[in-house]
Amino acid sequence: MHSKFYFLYPFKNCRKRFFILHAVIFLFFNFSFLRAQQFGGNAPSLKWKQINTDTVRVVFPAGMDMQARRVADIVHHLSRTTAGSVGNTNRKISIVLQNQTTLSNAYVGLAPWRSEFYLTTPQNSLELGSLPWYDNLAIHEWRHVQQYSNYRKGLSKIASWVFGQEGQAVANNAAIPDWFFEGDAVFNETAVSGQGRGRLPDFFNGYRSLWKADKSYSYMKLRNGSLRHYVPDHYQLGYLVVAYGREKYGHEFWKKVTADAAAYRSLFYPFQAAVKKYSGRAYKNFINNAIIYYKDEVKTVAENDSTAVTTAEKKYVKDYTFPYLLGEDSVLVLKKTYRDIPAWHIINGGKETKLTVKDIGTDDYYTYRAGKIIYTAYEPDARWGWRDYSVIRILDIHTKLSRAITKRSKYFSPDLSPDGGRIVAVDVAPDGKNELHIVDAFSGQVQRVLPNREGWFITYPKFCNYGKQVIAAVRNSEGRMALALIDAADGGYDLLLPFANRVIAYPFVKGDSVLFTAANKGRDELFILRLSEKKLYKVLSSYTGNYQAALNDNGDKLIWSRFTAGGRLLHQSVLPAMTEMPLNEWQTGLQDLYVLQALQQEGGNQLDKIPSAPYAIKKYHKTTGLFNFHSWRPYYDQPEWSFTIYGENVLNTFQSELFFKYNENEQSKEVGLNGIFGSLYPWITGGVSYTFDRFYRDTAQTITWNEANANIGLQLPLNFTQGKFYKYLTLASTVNTDRVYFTGNSKDQYIDRQVNYIESILSWSMQAQQARQHIYPRFAWVLYLQHRGSISKFTAQQFLATTSLYFPGLLKDHNLVFRGAWQASDTAGQYRFDNNFPFSRGYPAVDFPRMWKLGANYHFPLLYPDWGFANIVYFLRIRANAFYDYTGIKSRRTGQERYLNTVGGEIFFDTRWWNQQPVTFGIRYSRLLNYNIYTRPPNPNQWEFILPVNLLR
């Protein structure tokens, strides 16, 4: 009787106790999510400080005092001056400044309420401007803080009561489209500074390219994008519509609209109803009028005659960037498409020959000289997710061999000297300072550090004058840019162009000429600076921008990349007649574009008016707000009701959850706490729970007990990404204990008992880069090993191994996927672990001491509909999978083997719901080849509806 009972209770409830198992599996299958969050990403040696005021807490690494003070100054100022267009509520937030990563980004998040700035300044000024990077981030992200602070009202407020910060996030995102959040923030960065993306021509290339090609997409396509066609992102759409609303309907138009929408004053389509209410126009007409407004404002631009080197495709987008002329007929270029990952090609006579795939990097920039390609590659720290590197690599185009020149460096925009012996690159330090380093091209040793006496931010250095000097585009502390000629020996400099409120990028040096792209009169145009004449000439302009231009050896032939609706395509021409630009005209700078009145509604450029306050700087203790409970979630999954409270600290080093569960079948209650501490080298994971009033009843008796469960373990996530492959390894081991305390009459019949076991997991993932139309990577290998074994007097063992291999199919967007699995369990019958074996599709799960599986899948796309319905669901792609599963099961007692084999097919729908949430669902048909085994009643034809496992949780 004892063994029967003990067999039953662990098997019935084991899923509840394996918090660590589920945490590791979640990590294993959702690497991209955790990489974005970077849980536990900073080493414990990093010391943190803070500026803590009534408005904001800025948390920053030691040595970043100046940047932290500036961020605090900006947000205090904007909280007073820009509230009128969004609302007067200001909710205090913590902003964490991250300076160990090479990434350039930021976010504001609810659940938990915090923001993070990634402080490495990007090289390309054309895309995001040339303001000091922390200024730019503070302006943009503070607008998001203002938005969320004022959108907690009506039903959104009720959702925050019921679910916490997570509830407000869901309610706000369901009511207000993501394009508004980002468009309003971009408008704010434009209105309160002298730059902002609303003044940068590059930002308007997307819609200009569609208008140029006479493409008119539906609102749902503009909102959701396409896997076939180029569609501008929600930042661009958002700015156009937000700025139009401000221009036509005034300073407080969107304040009124979002107040109604966040409160759900119209329960259905609240944002659309609010737009109609305050504009007097139907939502569809409002959006159409906004687009037409800009389209009509665009004036015809005369374009130079040129020859297209590459042409667009109808079925996918192609980008050709950074072309170099090799002799008279050949072009070296980096190519990537919606079907192809980035790779270098040589184009000769219209024929493209692939050289090699580019290593994983944070940008596409590279330079070429004398058969060598010089570029930077991304390499993370193996353990600490917020610490990564940008290393210089050299590729020989003849041997196609690539080698790393530097290690654990933070170099950007390298260039090779004419003699091939030296490399100049921008070195960016964690404190934001940057210098030019002259590096030996063979050993990687730093030969010379050129002092940056003026404190400029240096971009795109290029050797000139036989390697004796360097030309670079530089930014000063006011965000103005110039071209500088820097001595490669001592760092002395001359300004070739004066500082102006313009953005400059991609200088190319050929003899006496410096070719570059700069913003001018609402366009990104090509210019040439003649060094001997000290004169500036405009080379060409077009409806959309012209970038990354290069000259041939004679200096009379030009090739460049032009932005089009089919991607970035190559054009070439003889060097056209040029028009001199006087320097006084050069200094006129960036212009307000399109919405001239709206851009003055916030009072114009405020950055030079912001006062500096004497903030106290104190130590920030890493244990501050360790639990920081932010959200709670009631949930029902028959027969279990649950209520869970979630916590996460500001530094994202401790995640926790408190839970209560009620089982309506047993009428049992469970309370527990789970947590992961990620600040040390291995994560420390653990959990405890206690269940009251459990029972087991049969015809003879009823057994009652309480149950205590606990686990503690270590988990080590490692990132070995390098070269052309993302590679991740996670090791985890957990000690689990389950103890039963018999209650009532059972206390006199049974002895309390305890089972202890160790669970160890290894997960490995390796995958190539993935293009937009790829269903899966062209190559990937996934391995998962799990062993669970008793360390108490009871015998219990289980080993599970699963693996998947991904290969290319017949076409570039097809995949052939092989899967295998093996599971072995003991037969003592004293304790049973839960069964995670992946069975042949269509069969019910069974548990045998030996089970093995082999499967083959062929995935391929069927349609790219680019079609949606009523702003509810939008279909990006319909794809299919043909599969065969072979599973064997074996009884150790009888030695009998049986086989569960299936052939079938799946149809998947890649969709977006409510114009924002990506969801993939599908339908599966399985033909059971051994349907008379374990199917009741026997039925060879099985149909299933496939939902993502995390859709409802």
Side-chain angles (χ1 to χ4, degrees):
M1 181 63 191
H2 288 185
S3 61
K4 177 183 179 183
F5 167 70
Y6 208 70
F7 172 85
L8 287 173
Y9 96 79
F11 183 68
K12 188 172 185 178
N13 292 279
C14 53
R15 289 185 182 274
K16 300 179 185 178
R17 295 191 297 274
F18 294 142
F19 168 73
I20 302 304
L21 168 63
H22 292 300
V24 175
I25 291 176
F26 178 81
L27 175 73
F28 183 58
F29 289 107
N30 295 275
F31 277 119
S32 59
F33 173 78
L34 289 182
R35 288 202 306 275
Q37 296 297 314
Q38 297 296 7
F39 175 72
N42 284 307
S45 59
L46 195 63
K47 306 303 179 185
W48 294 93
K49 294 186 176 182
Q50 64 173 319
I51 293 173
N52 191 10
T53 74
D54 60 347
T55 303
V56 67
R57 184 200 301 265
V58 183
V59 182
F60 57 96
M64 302 294 291
D65 299 35
M66 184 271 289
Q67 292 89 336
R69 289 181 185 276
R70 179 62 174 174
V71 169
D73 285 334
I74 290 174
V75 300
H76 275 83
H77 181 79
L78 294 181
S79 68
R80 297 190 301 269
T81 61
T82 61
S85 58
V86 66
N88 294 315
T89 301
N90 181 56
R91 183 180 174 193
K92 182 176 177 179
I93 193 171
S94 294
I95 300 175
V96 181
L97 307 185
Q98 300 284 2
N99 72 337
Q100 303 293 304
T101 176
T102 60
L103 303 178
S104 307
N105 212 330
Y107 74 90
V108 172
L110 282 163
W113 178 237
R114 70 165 178 230
S115 177
E116 287 186 297
F117 294 4
Y118 316 155
L119 290 180
T120 297
T121 304
Q123 287 279 295
N124 188 353
S125 305
L126 300 175
E127 291 184 351
L128 296 168
S130 57
L131 293 175
W133 185 234
Y134 41 86
D135 281 21
N136 217 338
L137 294 180
I139 296 170
H140 184 96
E141 302 305 328
W142 188 252
R143 190 60 170 189
H144 291 319
V145 174
Q146 291 179 305
Q147 292 164 349
Y148 284 122
S149 295
N150 286 278
Y151 296 165
R152 188 174 177 266
K153 54 187 63 179
L155 283 182
S156 292
K157 189 173 185 178
I158 294 174
S160 72
W161 292 341
V162 177
F163 300 104
Q165 294 173 9
E166 191 177 75
Q168 183 189 341
V170 171
N172 284 174
N173 291 333
I176 302 171
D178 59 353
W179 64 252
F180 175 81
F181 282 99
E182 297 301 347
D184 183 51
V186 171
F187 182 88
N188 199 57
E189 75 187 41
T190 308
V192 304
S193 75
Q195 292 192 15
R197 274 168 278 187
R199 290 190 180 89
L200 301 181
D202 178 271
F203 189 65
F204 297 98
N205 276 333
Y207 278 91
R208 288 174 173 174
S209 69
L210 297 187
W211 301 330
K212 174 74 173 178
D214 198 27
K215 293 182 180 292
S216 180
Y217 294 148
S218 69
Y219 171 71
M220 289 197 72
K221 185 165 182 173
L222 294 178
R223 284 287 286 113
N224 295 284
S226 172
L227 296 176
R228 288 190 305 159
H229 303 132
Y230 168 74
V231 177
D233 64 24
H234 59 290
Y235 287 79
Q236 298 167 66
L237 173 66
Y239 178 82
L240 295 184
V241 179
V242 168
Y244 171 79
R246 293 275 293 252
E247 181 83 358
K248 292 296 183 181
Y249 301 102
H251 183 245
E252 296 189 350
F253 173 71
W254 292 113
K255 176 182 175 181
K256 298 173 184 176
V257 168
T258 53
D260 278 16
Y264 286 82
R265 289 196 172 95
S266 174
L267 189 59
F268 301 102
Y269 300 105
F271 189 82
Q272 290 89 328
V275 167
K276 182 178 180 180
K277 175 181 176 181
Y278 293 107
S279 70
R281 298 182 180 275
Y283 183 71
K284 181 178 180 181
N285 293 336
F286 178 88
I287 298 295
N288 289 339
N289 290 345
I291 301 299
I292 292 171
Y293 171 81
Y294 294 96
K295 190 174 181 180
D296 290 345
E297 282 285 299
V298 175
K299 297 179 181 179
T300 303
V301 177
E303 298 186 356
N304 299 74
D305 292 333
S306 62
T307 302
V309 179
T310 59
T311 57
E313 293 280 350
K314 292 184 178 180
K315 296 183 179 180
Y316 56 94
V317 173
K318 299 191 299 184
D319 286 326
Y320 296 86
T321 55
F322 300 102
Y324 285 86
L325 289 164
L326 309 179
E328 291 299 319
D329 301 317
S330 297
V331 178
L332 171 69
V333 69
L334 184 69
K335 175 187 176 182
K336 61 180 178 180
T337 79
Y338 283 10
R339 290 186 178 181
D340 303 277
I341 62 178
W344 284 286
H345 289 69
I346 291 180
I347 303 174
N348 192 331
K351 180 181 179 181
E352 298 182 8
T353 302
K354 181 178 176 179
L355 289 177
T356 187
V357 170
K358 184 180 181 294
D359 293 323
I360 297 166
T362 57
D363 62 29
D364 293 333
Y365 183 80
Y366 75 96
T367 59
Y368 169 81
R369 195 186 298 270
K372 302 293 191 298
I373 292 172
I374 305 91
Y375 62 101
T376 57
Y378 170 82
E379 290 186 2
D381 183 278
R383 166 60 182 90
W384 306 109
W386 278 129
R387 188 163 65 194
D388 50 60
Y389 306 99
S390 180
V391 302
I392 299 175
R393 298 185 69 91
I394 292 183
L395 169 70
D396 189 308
I397 68 169
H398 303 295
T399 64
K400 301 180 183 179
L401 296 177
S402 174
R403 60 188 177 94
I405 302 301
T406 63
K407 297 180 180 180
R408 299 175 71 86
S409 58
K410 295 192 175 182
Y411 284 129
F412 300 88
S413 304
D415 186 49
L416 187 66
S417 63
D419 61 8
R422 296 172 298 151
I423 294 172
V424 61
V426 180
D427 175 75
V428 179
D431 63 3
K433 296 178 181 178
N434 70 105
E435 301 168 316
L436 289 181
H437 284 194
I438 307 296
V439 178
D440 185 274
F442 300 96
S443 67
Q445 296 297 313
V446 178
Q447 295 180 338
R448 191 173 296 110
V449 175
L450 304 185
N452 184 0
R453 300 182 180 92
E454 303 296 333
W456 297 332
F457 187 79
I458 306 170
T459 64
Y460 300 120
K462 287 282 195 175
F463 278 113
C464 68
N465 193 17
Y466 304 102
K468 298 177 182 178
Q469 295 171 311
V470 174
I471 287 176
V474 297
R475 317 175 191 174
N476 65 16
S477 60
E478 297 175 346
R480 297 175 177 270
M481 294 199 72
L483 276 181
L485 182 66
I486 303 170
D487 192 292
D490 60 13
Y493 70 89
D494 291 313
L495 289 181
L496 300 175
L497 288 174
F499 280 103
N501 186 28
R502 290 180 183 269
V503 285
I504 305 171
Y506 310 132
F508 176 89
V509 180
K510 179 65 68 175
D512 187 49
S513 299
V514 182
L515 184 64
F516 62 93
T517 298
N520 184 53
K521 296 182 179 180
R523 300 287 185 276
D524 283 338
E525 300 178 329
L526 292 181
F527 291 86
I528 280 183
L529 178 68
R530 298 293 195 194
L531 297 176
S532 59
E533 303 174 17
K534 295 184 178 180
K535 289 184 179 180
L536 179 65
Y537 297 91
K538 187 170 74 173
V539 180
L540 59 86
S541 178
S542 63
Y543 193 67
T544 58
N546 299 290
Y547 305 100
Q548 303 146 10
L551 290 166
N552 66 349
D553 289 337
N554 295 329
D556 58 2
K557 187 177 181 180
L558 184 68
I559 190 168
W560 69 95
S561 181
R562 174 176 293 175
F563 199 109
T564 77
R568 293 169 175 83
L569 303 180
L570 298 186
H571 284 250
Q572 69 179 10
S573 73
V574 297
L575 193 63
M578 300 181 295
T579 304
E580 182 180 355
M581 173 179 279
L583 292 184
N584 60 346
E585 183 180 341
W586 169 260
Q587 291 179 293
T588 57
L590 294 171
Q591 299 175 332
D592 291 350
L593 301 177
Y594 306 126
V595 286
L596 307 185
Q597 296 179 14
L599 288 176
Q600 302 306 313
Q601 291 172 0
E602 301 290 358
N605 186 5
Q606 300 182 31
L607 290 183
D608 56 357
K609 304 173 185 176
I610 296 176
S612 181
Y615 303 107
I617 295 179
K618 299 180 180 180
K619 180 180 179 180
Y620 183 79
H621 296 279
K622 297 178 183 179
T623 56
T624 301
L626 192 63
F627 284 89
N628 190 31
F629 292 116
H630 56 80
S631 301
W632 38 91
R633 189 186 306 170
Y635 190 73
Y636 177 66
D637 186 7
Q638 190 179 19
E640 192 168 78
W641 298 82
S642 65
F643 184 81
T644 307
I645 302 174
Y646 299 93
E648 183 178 313
N649 64 332
V650 167
L651 289 181
N652 202 5
T653 56
F654 184 66
Q655 294 176 349
S656 55
E657 63 177 41
L658 288 169
F659 62 87
F660 171 80
K661 297 179 181 180
Y662 173 74
N663 188 296
E664 61 186 17
N665 288 349
E666 293 186 351
Q667 298 180 353
S668 63
K669 284 79 68 178
E670 181 182 4
V671 294
L673 167 67
N674 295 316
I676 303 178
F677 183 66
S679 188
L680 301 178
Y681 189 74
W683 296 356
I684 300 174
T685 61
V688 293
S689 67
Y690 196 88
T691 306
F692 302 86
D693 303 328
R694 300 217 53 209
F695 73 88
Y696 169 74
R697 180 184 293 125
D698 61 18
T699 56
Q701 62 181 326
T702 298
I703 304 171
T704 61
W705 74 94
N706 295 337
E707 182 177 329
N709 305 304
N711 59 67
I712 188 168
L714 299 176
Q715 183 175 324
L716 182 59
L718 299 172
N719 185 347
F720 296 119
T721 295
Q722 191 177 46
K724 297 174 176 61
F725 292 94
Y726 298 97
K727 291 174 280 190
Y728 305 95
L729 174 67
T730 297
L731 305 172
S733 188
T734 311
V735 178
N736 302 265
T737 181
D738 298 336
R739 184 169 180 83
V740 170
Y741 303 91
F742 292 100
T743 61
N745 294 332
S746 301
K747 184 185 295 186
D748 300 327
Q749 302 177 49
Y750 301 99
I751 300 173
D752 294 348
R753 56 194 63 187
Q754 180 173 315
V755 171
N756 302 319
Y757 62 92
I758 294 178
E759 176 181 38
S760 299
I761 291 175
L762 179 151
S763 64
W764 164 258
S765 173
M766 175 182 180
Q767 72 166 72
Q769 301 171 73
Q770 191 170 342
R772 190 177 180 90
Q773 288 189 359
H774 291 172
I775 298 172
Y776 296 109
R778 299 276 284 170
F779 174 79
W781 175 37
V782 177
L783 175 67
Y784 178 76
L785 305 177
Q786 177 193 57
H787 179 265
R788 290 181 281 190
S790 170
I791 53 174
S792 59
K793 64 180 180 180
F794 300 99
T795 300
Q797 299 286 332
Q798 185 191 77
F799 174 75
L800 171 66
T802 65
T803 189
S804 298
L805 285 168
Y806 297 75
F807 296 103
L810 297 176
L811 300 178
K812 290 182 178 181
D813 51 358
H814 292 201
N815 280 100
L816 180 61
V817 182
F818 296 103
R819 302 188 190 277
W822 166 267
Q823 181 169 292
S825 305
D826 71 279
T827 57
Q830 297 178 356
Y831 189 89
R832 296 291 294 273
F833 296 105
D834 61 337
N835 180 14
N836 293 316
F837 185 82
F839 282 89
S840 295
R841 280 160 277 197
Y843 289 93
V846 295
D847 195 358
F848 273 71
R850 296 292 182 270
M851 298 186 289
W852 58 94
K853 176 189 175 181
L854 294 174
N857 302 263
Y858 192 86
H859 295 267
F860 55 97
L862 297 174
L863 295 171
Y864 295 97
D866 289 349
W867 176 85
F869 172 76
N871 288 307
I872 297 176
V873 59
Y874 182 82
F875 293 85
L876 285 162
R877 175 172 57 193
I878 302 173
R879 53 187 172 90
N881 173 40
F883 67 85
Y884 171 75
D885 288 342
Y886 159 82
T887 296
I889 55 178
K890 181 177 180 180
S891 169
R892 293 290 303 277
R893 182 175 59 85
T894 65
Q896 183 180 15
E897 294 184 4
R898 294 190 176 185
Y899 303 97
L900 311 175
N901 301 329
T902 306
V903 294
E906 299 165 326
I907 303 293
F908 290 99
F909 301 88
D910 296 326
T911 66
R912 289 174 68 93
W913 287 77
W914 298 286
N915 293 319
Q916 289 190 195
Q917 181 64 37
V919 175
T920 293
F921 63 91
I923 300 170
R924 174 186 298 145
Y925 167 71
S926 302
R927 175 71 178 184
L928 309 188
L929 304 183
N930 310 96
Y931 65 92
N932 57 331
I933 303 177
Y934 304 117
T935 57
R936 297 291 181 271
N939 182 7
N941 302 307
Q942 299 290 325
W943 291 88
E944 298 173 83
F945 187 65
I946 308 168
L947 279 175
V949 294
N950 63 341
L951 180 61
L952 301 177
R953 290 186 179 269

